[in-house]
């Protein structure tokens, strides 16, 4: 009975989120409250299901990025990049998205979009072009780029922690297909938007006359921000050696910067996207209800049992099921459920470590790339939507679905072809 109640609450909450009649943060927290009130999860379990590391990382990076923004660096970058491509909007879309993909491979994708989206919005405003294609492409590229390395996306970190796969294992096995997917994605965006992203020559000329260095408002603040950012990014890259979670690193960096700059905390804390954080917290509890009642566990077991343990079919099923579910669910609890099931399947099927590896790559590709399917599929998607909304730009669920879901399917089919050709 609890299974059906939990599923009903989740689906109803998700329906209201799609309808966008109420703020999504209110819907998510209301659904989470129902899970607790109706006894699906108790309050202690609900708190356990909230990924506090993700929330802490978001808060820390939001504070750092807001302080960095005050120096004027994002306006500087907007004009500098625009001048390099002579104000051509479609070339700007390609270059900014490519930068986002590369950064996401070595930073987490949430940090990357927090750094690049303000640049995108500044550029779009300067050239009077629709920023939506820019934001959509950057969302896709942040999730695609994050798939290439061990540290790029949380599912990869989880898989590595349970399997012993190394940083180089991820690069050697996932980076080749990610490079193909990046080229395919940017090519599609180029052909779709090259005639739509057009600006006036006068705006290009006006932009070329601007001096980007005039945008730097506070060089002293900028130097402090860059030092702290460099320390934080370095710590992210070395977090496995430092034995520090990303939230600890981000929040420590934010506090260091606030102490160093002596800015008023009241003003800085206003930069935190609190509705987005509450949405995440509610969503974690909603998915936690599905975990506690065994819904995800049953779904995963049913998916794997369909193949009868045949390696190729199992890999492809894991890839496609992971992609679809990760479009609508948070991929962290899903991956947490799938890891022990894949390990058990490998044991029962007497698969060698070499035969089991493609199953891990299928899980990583499906879970990470699947986040591009919907607006709630990945943390970066929601962060971009939150930043856009704060700047008066509403990204609607259906609006993103029409672009993101087909693009996600294309990347998954490319991944399927790669798995078959390379491993089977």
């Amino acid at each position: 009975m609890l299974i059906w109640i939990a599923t009903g609450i989740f689906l109803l909450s998700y329906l209201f989120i799609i309808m966008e009649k109420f703020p999504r943060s209110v819907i998510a927290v209301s659904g989470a409250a129902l899970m607790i009130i109706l006894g699906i999860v108790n309050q202690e379990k609900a708190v356990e299901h909230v990924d506090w590391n993700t929330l802490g990382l978001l808060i820390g990076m939001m504070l750092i990025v807001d302080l960095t923004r005050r120096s004027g660096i994002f306006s500087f970058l907007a004009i500098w990049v625009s001048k390099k491509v002579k104000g051509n909007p479609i070339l700007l879309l390609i270059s900014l998205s490519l930068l986002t993909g590369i950064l996401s491979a070595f930073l987490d994708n949430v940090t990357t979009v927090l750094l690049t989206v303000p640049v995108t919005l500044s550029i779009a405003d300067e050239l009077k072009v629709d920023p939506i294609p820019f934001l959509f492409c950057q969302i896709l590229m942040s999730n695609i780029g994050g798939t290439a390395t061990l540290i790029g996306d949380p599912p990869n970190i989880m898989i590595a922690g349970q399997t012993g796969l190394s940083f180089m294992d991820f690069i050697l096995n996932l980076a080749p297909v990610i490079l193909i997917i990046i080229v395919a994605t940017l090519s599609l965006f180029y052909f779709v938007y090259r005639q739509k992203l057009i600006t006036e020559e006068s705006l290009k000329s006006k932009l070329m006359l601007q001096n980007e260095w005039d945008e730097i408002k506070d060089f002293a603040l900028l130097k402090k921000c860059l030092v702290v950012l460099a320390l934080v990014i370095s710590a992210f890259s070395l977090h496995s050696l430092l034995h520090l979670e990303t939230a600890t690193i981000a929040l420590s960096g934010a506090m260091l910067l606030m102490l160093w700059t002596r800015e008023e905390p009241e003003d800085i804390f206003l930069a935190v996207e609190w509705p987005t954080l509450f949405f995440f917290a509610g969503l974690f509890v909603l998915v936690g209800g599905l975990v506690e009642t065994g819904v995800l566990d049953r779904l995963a077991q049913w998916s794997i049992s369909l193949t009868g343990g045949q390696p190729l079919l199992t890999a492809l099923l894991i890839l496609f099921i992971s992609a679809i579910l990760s479009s609508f669910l948070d991929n962290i609890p899903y991956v947490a459920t799938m890891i022990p099931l894949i390990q058990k399947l490998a044991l029962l099927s007497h698969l060698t470590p070499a035969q089991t590896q493609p199953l891990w790559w299928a899980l990583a590709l499906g879970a990470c790339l699947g986040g591009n399917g919907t607006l709630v599929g990945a943390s970066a998607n929601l962060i971009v939507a939150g930043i856009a909304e704060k700047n008066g730009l509403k990204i609607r669920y259906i609006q993103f679905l029409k672009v993101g879901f087909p693009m996600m399917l294309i990347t998954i089919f490319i991944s399927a072809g790669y798995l078959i050709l390379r491993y089977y």
Side-chain angles (χ1 to χ4, degrees):
M1 185 64 179
L2 288 179
I3 289 178
W4 295 109
I5 295 174
T7 305
I9 292 172
F10 180 85
L11 293 176
L12 192 61
S13 300
Y14 206 85
L15 177 63
F16 276 105
I17 290 170
I18 295 173
M19 290 170 60
E20 297 182 327
K21 297 294 184 182
F22 302 95
R24 59 174 178 259
S25 56
V26 176
I27 296 300
V29 176
S30 298
L34 270 178
M35 288 281 191
I36 298 171
I37 292 169
L38 296 178
I40 306 300
V41 291
N42 59 39
Q43 186 167 309
E44 289 73 20
K45 281 289 184 182
V47 171
E48 288 177 14
H49 280 290
V50 175
D51 190 341
W52 297 103
N53 184 59
T54 296
L55 299 186
L57 169 65
L58 293 175
I59 293 171
M61 291 310 301
M62 285 174 180
L63 294 174
I64 293 172
V65 169
D66 184 67
L67 280 166
T68 306
R69 177 190 58 79
R70 297 179 184 204
S71 70
I73 185 62
F74 294 128
S75 298
F76 168 87
L77 288 173
I79 296 173
W80 182 80
V81 172
S82 299
K83 289 174 71 174
K84 286 295 180 182
V85 295
K86 303 188 184 304
N88 186 314
I90 190 63
L91 293 181
L92 273 171
L93 182 145
I94 299 299
S95 58
L96 284 173
S97 300
L98 186 59
L99 175 64
T100 301
I102 293 170
L103 288 176
S104 293
F106 299 99
L107 307 176
D108 66 279
N109 47 19
V110 169
T111 301
T112 299
V113 297
L114 282 169
L115 293 171
T116 58
V117 167
V119 177
T120 298
L121 292 173
S122 296
I123 290 172
D125 185 60
E126 288 284 341
L127 295 176
K128 308 299 181 190
V129 294
D130 183 6
I132 291 294
F134 289 79
L135 298 182
F136 282 7
C137 195
Q138 283 183 284
I139 287 173
L140 297 179
M141 291 297 290
S142 71
N143 292 317
I144 291 169
T147 311
T149 67
L150 187 156
I151 61 173
D153 224 355
N156 289 2
I157 296 172
M158 295 169 66
I159 292 169
Q162 293 293 318
T163 62
L165 293 167
S166 70
F167 188 88
M168 288 307 300
D169 286 330
F170 277 83
I171 290 180
L172 293 174
N173 288 277
L174 295 181
V177 68
I178 292 305
L179 289 175
I180 296 169
I181 288 171
I182 286 174
V183 172
T185 301
L186 294 179
S187 297
L188 284 169
F189 265 81
Y190 175 81
F191 286 112
V192 170
Y193 290 107
R194 70 186 190 281
Q195 299 299 329
K196 299 177 182 178
L197 289 176
I198 298 173
T199 189
E200 298 176 10
E201 289 299 325
S202 60
L203 292 175
K204 290 183 184 180
S205 301
K206 183 180 177 182
L207 185 63
M208 294 301 293
L209 291 173
Q210 293 187 38
N211 183 0
E212 57 268 33
W213 291 103
D214 291 339
E215 300 299 319
I216 303 296
K217 307 299 181 186
D218 190 333
F219 275 98
L221 175 61
L222 176 58
K223 290 176 183 177
K224 294 174 183 177
C225 291
L226 292 179
V227 168
V228 172
L229 266 175
L231 290 172
V232 169
I233 291 170
S234 299
F236 280 157
S237 303
L238 300 172
H239 77 96
S240 59
L241 296 176
L242 298 173
H243 303 292
L244 294 174
E245 295 293 341
T246 51
T248 302
I249 294 169
L251 287 170
S252 298
M255 294 306 105
L256 172 62
L257 189 56
M258 289 174 67
L259 287 169
W260 197 1
T261 59
R262 298 186 179 183
E263 296 281 344
E264 285 297 324
E266 291 82 359
D267 292 338
I268 300 171
F269 287 139
L270 289 174
V272 176
E273 301 281 347
W274 296 109
T276 301
L277 296 175
F278 275 98
F279 176 75
F280 273 125
L283 194 61
F284 284 134
V285 177
L286 281 171
V287 176
L290 300 185
V291 173
E292 289 296 320
T293 54
V295 174
L296 287 185
D297 190 53
R298 290 189 181 192
L299 187 57
Q301 290 187 47
W302 169 79
S303 301
I304 290 177
S305 68
L306 288 177
T307 66
Q310 208 283 332
L312 173 58
L313 291 178
T314 301
L316 293 178
L317 189 64
I318 290 172
L319 174 69
F320 280 95
I321 292 294
S322 298
I324 299 299
L325 290 181
S326 294
S327 292
F328 299 96
L329 305 174
D330 185 84
N331 55 20
I332 292 174
Y334 172 76
V335 170
T337 303
M338 287 298 292
I339 287 173
L341 287 173
I342 292 175
Q343 290 172 330
K344 185 176 181 180
L345 174 69
L347 183 65
L348 294 175
S349 303
H350 305 290
L351 298 179
T352 65
Q355 291 173 316
T356 307
Q357 265 203 27
L359 304 185
W360 299 125
W361 308 136
L363 179 61
L365 288 166
C368 296
L369 296 176
N372 281 331
T374 71
L375 195 59
V376 299
S379 304
N381 308 16
L382 292 166
I383 293 301
V384 173
I387 296 172
E389 192 166 354
K390 194 172 182 179
N391 285 270
L393 188 65
K394 179 78 171 178
I395 298 178
R396 300 195 173 276
Y397 184 93
I398 298 298
Q399 181 186 18
F400 181 81
L401 183 72
K402 290 178 180 178
V403 176
F405 203 81
M407 291 298 298
M408 182 274 291
L409 289 178
I410 290 170
T411 64
I412 293 302
F413 277 107
I414 292 173
S415 299
Y418 173 78
L419 289 174
I420 293 170
L421 291 174
R422 179 159 181 179
Y423 302 106
Y424 300 103

